[in-house]
Amino acid sequence: MKAAARERYGSPDVVELKDGDRPNPGADQVLVRVRAASVNRADLDGLKPRPSFARLFTGLRAPRNHRIGIDVAGAVESVGASVTRFKPGDEVFADLFAFGQGAFAEYACAADKAFQPMPVGMTFEDAATLPHSAILAVQGLRLRNGRTPKPGDRVLIDGASGNVGPFAVQIAKSMGAEVTGVCSTGKVGFVRSLGADHVIDYAEVDYTSTGERYDWIVDTDSHHPILRIRHALRPNGVYVTLGGTGLSILAALLMGPVISMATDKWMGLLIWWKPFNPDDVATLKDLIAAGKVKPRIDRRYPLTDVVEALRWVDDGRATGKVIITS
């Protein structure tokens, strides 16, 4: 089979499409014929890596794992001897972040617990947009104690036009929130089309300095100092960041708890993230069935053009998800 791989850290140009043997599923594994995969910011962060201290976990000089791609949708090709949840022909999707990655390939093989049945009636391409980004959006709008935005709350999504943001805008609207999306100039219309009540062009306006206050801020990729963001929160407000540079992540980890204890505001990193959590997958399926969440696909690339697909997202040009088909 053909599969994307990388031997060293760097830009998307380090990725190569290689020929290899098709995996044979182990006793508890499922072999899936990949029909679609989607590019996530996490895929690009893993290439560089970003933040740089991630090398402590992924390999100091070179990546220990050469496979790439976490979001996958496809049909079960074969199953291991102990697998009872799936059979050949079943349509499934998964976030392979915790299962060795490898979605950018003709076949993907992982433990059967990595997979869930696809939403009823959904295409492979639409299903491939969901596992990583949409679940992050669900969890970014819920604190560890179960608190979520209430109807009428003012919610701001910083990074509303990328991977996680479009889902977060739609989910927040489904909660009855008044939603503001932050994006670049050329994507303002796209964010409005998601249902955002207000859109801020970050090239023109710094939302932390406008005097506007929000009940909940989801930051898909931190770019503002956490102390400035604090002033954009209402009393009892929440700020959740999903990632960013090493400094912004450390600030959220170290300063967030201090601010949270010293004030009536909660600020910090989404450290309770549970990739492809089954309960959240069920919630997402309900939202999709109700027509409250719809995947937005920017463009599609064949597996042979995986490098171009990664470049398109890395350059910040995508509005919504980028799909890789095989």
Side-chain angles (χ1 to χ4, degrees), residues 15-314:
V15 175
E16 298 177 292
L17 196 62
K18 297 188 175 184
D19 290 315
D21 295 330
R22 190 174 74 176
N24 291 314
D28 66 342
Q29 291 185 320
V30 173
L31 178 68
V32 171
R33 175 67 172 94
V34 177
R35 297 290 299 277
S38 72
V39 179
N40 288 279
R41 184 77 247 172
D43 299 311
L44 294 157
D45 288 347
L47 287 179
K48 289 181 172 52
R50 178 179 180 262
S52 56
F53 62 71
R55 289 173 182 258
L56 295 172
F57 310 101
T58 61
L60 289 175
R61 303 178 69 87
R64 287 189 289 269
N65 181 13
H66 297 163
R67 290 179 289 185
I68 307 170
I70 54 180
D71 275 353
V72 65
V76 174
E77 183 83 3
S78 60
V79 301
S82 64
V83 174
T84 58
R85 294 178 61 225
F86 301 111
K87 63 183 184 301
D90 286 348
E91 297 180 349
V92 297
F93 68 144
D95 178 349
L96 299 179
F97 181 87
F99 296 91
Q101 304 185 51
F104 300 162
E106 292 178 323
Y107 291 89
C109 188
D112 71 317
K113 64 182 180 181
F115 297 93
Q116 292 286 338
M118 276 174 37
V120 176
M122 181 166 276
T123 67
F124 289 111
E125 291 184 359
D126 281 349
T129 70
L130 302 172
H132 189 77
S133 296
I135 295 302
L136 272 173
V138 170
Q139 296 179 8
L141 288 163
R142 185 186 67 236
L143 291 183
R144 196 197 298 267
N145 64 8
R147 176 184 169 189
T148 61
K150 305 183 301 296
D153 277 357
R154 301 191 71 200
V155 174
L156 181 139
I157 310 299
D158 191 359
S161 62
N163 296 299
V164 178
F167 293 114
V169 169
Q170 295 178 76
I171 293 168
K173 285 296 296 180
S174 78
M175 295 173 170
E178 178 186 335
V179 179
T180 297
V182 180
C183 63
S184 61
T185 307
K187 301 179 182 181
V188 169
F190 170 72
V191 175
R192 289 195 189 281
S193 77
L194 298 169
D197 300 286
H198 316 283
V199 184
I200 295 174
D201 176 356
Y202 66 69
E204 300 291 335
V205 177
D206 178 350
Y207 80 84
T208 67
S209 61
T210 63
E212 296 288 338
R213 301 290 183 266
Y214 302 92
D215 298 289
W216 201 290
I217 296 174
V218 175
D219 198 342
T220 64
D221 193 56
S222 300
H223 290 93
H224 298 286
I226 194 169
L227 291 176
R228 279 214 335 248
I229 297 169
R230 176 171 60 94
H231 297 299
L233 286 174
R234 284 177 165 177
N236 298 309
V238 171
Y239 168 74
V240 179
T241 179
L242 311 185
T245 64
L247 286 176
S248 62
I249 289 175
L250 287 174
L253 283 171
L254 300 176
M255 297 179 64
V258 174
I259 295 171
S260 301
M261 289 187 292
T263 71
D264 60 355
K265 301 168 183 177
W266 191 96
M267 305 189 75
L269 184 69
L270 183 69
I271 57 176
W272 57 91
W273 173 49
K274 294 181 179 179
F276 213 51
N277 179 47
D279 289 342
D280 293 322
V281 173
T283 296
L284 184 61
K285 286 182 176 181
D286 288 343
L287 289 169
I288 291 168
K292 295 180 178 179
V293 171
K294 296 180 181 179
R296 297 298 187 96
I297 296 174
D298 177 69
R299 56 184 55 205
R300 300 159 176 83
Y301 292 86
L303 181 60
T304 51
D305 292 338
V306 61
V307 173
E308 286 74 15
L310 289 163
R311 282 199 199 108
W312 184 258
V313 178
D314 196 34

